[in-house]
Amino acid sequence: MDITFKNVNYTYQINSPLATVGLKNINLKFKSGTYTAIIGQTGSGKSTLLQHLNALLRPTSGEVIVGSQVVTSTTKNKELYDLRGKVGLVFQFPESQLFEETVLKDVAFAPKNFGKSEDEANRIAKEALHLVGIDESLINKMPFDLSGGQMRRVAIAGVLAMEPEVLVLDEPTAGLDPLGRQQIMDLFLKIHRERHLTTILVTHQMDDVVNYADDVVVMEHGAVIKFGTPRDVFADLQWLNQHNLELPGTGQLVQQLVQKGFEFERLPLTEDELITALKPQLEQGVENG
Amino acid sequence: MDKMIFGRYYPGNSFVHRLDPRLKLVVNIMFIVLIFLIKHWYDYALLGGVVIAGVLLSGVSLKFFLRGLRPMLWLILFTVGLQLFFTSGQHVYWQWGVLSLSQEGLINATYIALRFLLIIFMSTLLTLTTQPLAIADGMEYLIRPLKVVHFPVNDVALMLSIALRFVPKLMDETTKIMNAQRARGVDFNNGSLIKRVKALIPLLIPLMMSSLDIATDLTTAMISRGYRDGEGRTRYRILKWQRADSLTLVAFVVITVVAII
């Protein structure tokens, strides 16, 4: 499902002296089936933008077009029910949204809300739990008895069980250990490919950006300051420094290698690219003694 | 929740902002008592003058106050309506049936409306110009005499300041959980009463759980930083009584005396 932002502005507490600008004149297009990462400093408006994707916030002016649904400042809540079912939103620390008596019930909650029968919802819930790697033996436990990492997985399963067409992730791996982070990120990529989702990820991990995303949106003070592929965005070091953004881990290593006399035709971003680019140079080095 | 002005702090550095929180609390309490004591229209005019002076000196625009009034408007209209139509006056009748419009009713209704307005304005003025922590400090000071009867002043003060500190945090948490559940298809605003009450469960249970989590973490953090109990601590924030405070208090006492006479 395509998502288009047309001249979107959003102001918090509009018409009051405490009004603060959330979004400034956003024009964006998230194409169907792409994986887009949104980066920017804390308070740059990333989360505000995310909440526009399933109309939890409606633009103060301009319009957001999600699939066939146009959302403007005057769109009524009732018209948004279908849209909410199609856009799955994983919030920061989603484990705080668990509330049911059992893990299974909690995951089945969303599909039931969007009109699935009890049996159907339970079936989907079990599938989703399997997908996120929650063991069958846990599904009848209370969510609050689980560990932090397991709760996170259950909460994510609760969103995947909606079978959304668009998956929106707001720092889904914050606070997880490295292994858990890797597993969850790989899971999202797998689902993204298998179900042909449109995935939008907010992150502070530049490594995730280069490893997973097709496009990158850079935000600052509520405005989009750059939109392009990871290669475009990470090409200009001076620009990155100006906007307090850092390179991914590989990029930092590459920079040091360049200072030591290595040469790269195009900037390697991922580990694999770096290895491929480095190999011939090293072999040559050995030959020359 | 964005529209609630009542109970919110408006940053500034005006005359009213700089006044001592203890003074503002005392004046507020005196003012509320006074409102219920006075009987004549010129007393209302006098207190109205006090409120307007306060608003002007606070540097917060009057529009802002008026907007803060909006959520309370129905309550005011309801009470005023009751007074207006159900006061059985002896002097002048106007209407028929149970509903009657008497001169007493009219006067009572006006007074009720004025009382509401003045009290809301005055307490909004307090919360708009005083930081929550300063209010907590002021209260602690004012209830200190209760130590004589073994009232746990320190504990209450601590609970008060922690509660105030966590109001915005819990508000944020509420909004967050509400949004998360809305994204999972919960409808908080539509449907029958029973349906709406049921829709609150996915909000209330996570909120309780996260409050418990916060409480556990906070106590652990406090104990590990050497907190034992409220006795024998020194204080970091110290309230200072200044000349402007004395002058304001004297002025208000004079007004009170004039109003009562």
Side-chain angles (χ1 to χ4, degrees):
Chain A
M1 216 160 42
D2 281 352
I3 302 179
T4 313
F5 280 64
K6 271 191 193 158
N7 306 318
V8 171
N9 286 287
Y10 184 78
T11 309
Y12 284 100
Q13 300 185 40
I14 196 164
N15 298 329
S16 95
L18 301 171
T20 39
V21 173
L23 294 179
K24 268 186 288 197
N25 196 29
I26 304 285
N27 284 294
L28 268 181
K29 181 157 185 164
F30 301 101
K31 271 202 216 102
S32 191
T34 54
Y35 196 133
T36 311
I38 304 180
I39 57 176
Q41 290 189 309
T42 323
S44 58
K46 303 184 300 282
S47 295
T48 312
L49 183 79
L50 286 196
Q51 291 180 47
H52 279 80
L53 294 169
N54 75 346
L56 286 171
L57 295 176
R58 268 154 282 185
T60 314
S61 71
E63 51 188 38
V64 180
I65 305 159
V66 186
S68 56
Q69 173 89 52
V70 182
V71 182
T72 64
S73 62
T74 54
T75 312
K76 297 250 168 13
N77 247 321
K78 276 179 195 161
E79 304 164 34
L80 298 170
Y81 185 71
D82 286 340
L83 170 78
R84 298 243 162 94
K86 284 178 193 152
V87 182
L89 230 150
V90 178
F91 281 86
Q92 275 173 43
F93 301 102
E95 54 273 28
S96 66
Q97 73 194 32
L98 302 175
F99 74 99
E100 280 280 16
E101 297 148 47
T102 68
V103 167
L104 185 68
K105 271 192 179 177
D106 202 285
V107 178
F109 178 68
K112 270 193 276 181
N113 279 334
F114 289 109
K116 294 274 196 303
S117 71
E118 185 93 30
D119 291 342
E120 178 80 358
N122 282 341
R123 188 185 61 73
I124 301 173
K126 276 184 192 158
E127 258 177 43
L129 281 166
H130 180 71
L131 209 58
V132 297
I134 290 286
D135 196 76
E136 190 85 16
S137 61
L138 294 176
I139 63 173
N140 286 318
K141 278 205 169 187
M142 275 227 351
F144 304 112
D145 291 340
L146 303 179
S147 75
Q150 287 170 330
M151 280 167 79
R152 175 79 55 97
R153 282 157 191 269
V154 171
I156 289 171
V159 175
L160 294 180
M162 291 165 56
E163 302 188 317
E165 291 172 40
V166 179
L167 188 59
V168 183
L169 312 162
D170 193 353
E171 297 186 45
T173 58
L176 289 184
D177 56 77
L179 181 66
R181 164 176 296 164
Q182 182 78 45
Q183 285 174 346
I184 297 267
M185 288 311 295
D186 287 345
L187 169 73
F188 286 133
L189 186 66
K190 188 176 142 221
I191 298 170
H192 169 78
R193 288 195 179 136
E194 278 174 10
R195 299 189 183 173
H196 309 289
L197 298 182
T198 311
T199 304
I200 294 153
L201 165 80
V202 164
T203 184
H204 288 290
Q205 307 288 328
M206 298 307 152
D207 289 322
D208 288 348
V209 176
V210 290
N211 285 331
Y212 301 105
D214 307 318
D215 294 322
V216 188
V217 174
V218 187
M219 293 191 69
E220 193 178 73
H221 304 306
V224 172
I225 52 171
K226 199 149 195 165
F227 178 78
T229 62
R231 194 167 298 282
D232 297 337
V233 171
F234 291 115
D236 189 347
L237 282 178
Q238 216 182 350
W239 185 86
L240 288 172
N241 276 331
Q242 263 171 23
H243 295 277
N244 293 315
L245 296 167
E246 48 172 33
L247 278 172
T250 348
Q252 290 175 10
L253 180 61
V254 168
Q255 243 187 313
Q256 289 173 11
L257 288 172
V258 169
Q259 279 169 9
K260 297 272 182 217
F262 285 88
E263 282 166 12
F264 299 99
E265 265 174 52
R266 45 183 242 160
L267 196 67
L269 286 175
T270 63
E271 277 172 37
D272 290 343
E273 282 173 20
L274 177 60
I275 292 168
T276 329
L278 220 46
K279 234 180 178 174
Q281 294 194 48
L282 287 175
E283 277 161 7
Q284 216 175 9
V286 173
E287 277 165 29
N288 296 344
Chain B
M1 248 158 269
D2 273 2
K3 293 193 183 84
M4 280 297 278
I5 307 283
F6 196 69
R8 196 174 268 184
Y9 175 66
Y10 183 84
N13 189 22
S14 69
F15 176 75
V16 185
H17 277 90
R18 285 193 306 266
L19 286 177
D20 194 291
R22 289 167 291 184
L23 169 86
K24 284 190 265 191
L25 280 167
V26 169
V27 165
N28 247 281
I29 296 163
M30 280 168 71
F31 187 86
I32 291 170
V33 175
L34 195 55
I35 282 272
F36 287 101
L37 289 177
I38 56 174
K39 294 195 179 67
H40 303 291
W41 66 266
Y42 42 83
D43 293 331
Y44 280 100
L46 183 64
L47 292 190
V50 171
V51 167
I52 291 171
V55 172
L56 288 179
L57 283 172
S58 75
V60 183
S61 84
L62 192 64
K63 252 200 221 156
F64 200 51
F65 278 87
L66 289 175
R67 199 172 303 120
L69 211 56
R70 219 181 276 162
M72 315 287 261
L73 198 63
W74 289 111
L75 182 68
I76 298 174
L77 285 180
F78 179 70
T79 343
V80 167
L82 280 186
Q83 284 289 331
L84 201 56
F85 293 113
F86 289 99
T87 309
S88 51
Q90 283 130 21
H91 287 286
V92 192
Y93 278 100
W94 227 302
Q95 288 270 348
W96 52 274
V98 203
L99 304 177
S100 61
L101 198 66
S102 65
Q103 195 189 346
E104 282 89 348
L106 215 62
I107 293 169
N108 273 347
T110 320
Y111 281 175
I112 287 277
L114 279 173
R115 280 176 183 170
F116 259 119
L117 280 181
L118 291 177
I119 290 176
I120 292 172
F121 263 65
M122 200 63 173
S123 35
T124 311
L125 188 63
L126 168 75
T127 53
L128 278 181
T129 60
T130 322
Q131 278 182 339
L133 268 182
I135 296 184
D137 287 346
M139 284 211 192
E140 182 186 356
Y141 185 87
L142 293 177
I143 58 171
R144 221 180 268 175
L146 291 177
K147 265 188 183 165
V148 181
V149 291
H150 298 292
F151 184 78
V153 171
N154 291 315
D155 297 342
V156 172
L158 179 72
M159 286 195 288
L160 197 68
S161 52
I162 290 179
L164 283 170
R165 153 72 185 81
F166 279 97
V167 167
K169 162 102 180 144
L170 286 177
M171 289 275 237
D172 286 353
E173 190 71 14
T174 311
T175 320
K176 208 199 107 180
I177 297 172
M178 246 175 139
N179 279 339
Q181 305 298 27
R182 227 180 253 161
R184 294 209 288 166
V186 178
D187 191 349
F188 289 103
N189 303 320
N190 294 308
S192 65
L193 193 64
I194 296 171
K195 222 177 152 191
R196 277 195 216 192
V197 173
K198 268 190 173 165
L200 286 179
I201 295 172
L203 174 64
L204 292 181
I205 290 179
L207 205 56
M208 298 273 249
M209 292 309 285
S210 75
S211 308
L212 287 178
D213 282 349
I214 293 173
T216 323
D217 289 351
L218 185 67
T219 30
T220 315
M222 280 173 72
I223 292 170
S224 63
R225 295 212 282 164
Y227 180 86
R228 281 153 198 278
D229 77 47
E231 289 304 325
R233 299 178 68 207
T234 53
R235 40 181 58 243
Y236 174 64
R237 295 187 308 273
I238 295 168
L239 298 171
K240 281 204 195 96
W241 188 269
Q242 277 155 340
R243 191 186 293 160
D245 299 311
S246 306
L247 288 176
T248 316
L249 188 62
V250 170
F252 196 76
V253 170
V254 170
I255 289 167
T256 312
V257 173
V258 171
I260 292 175
I261 295 168

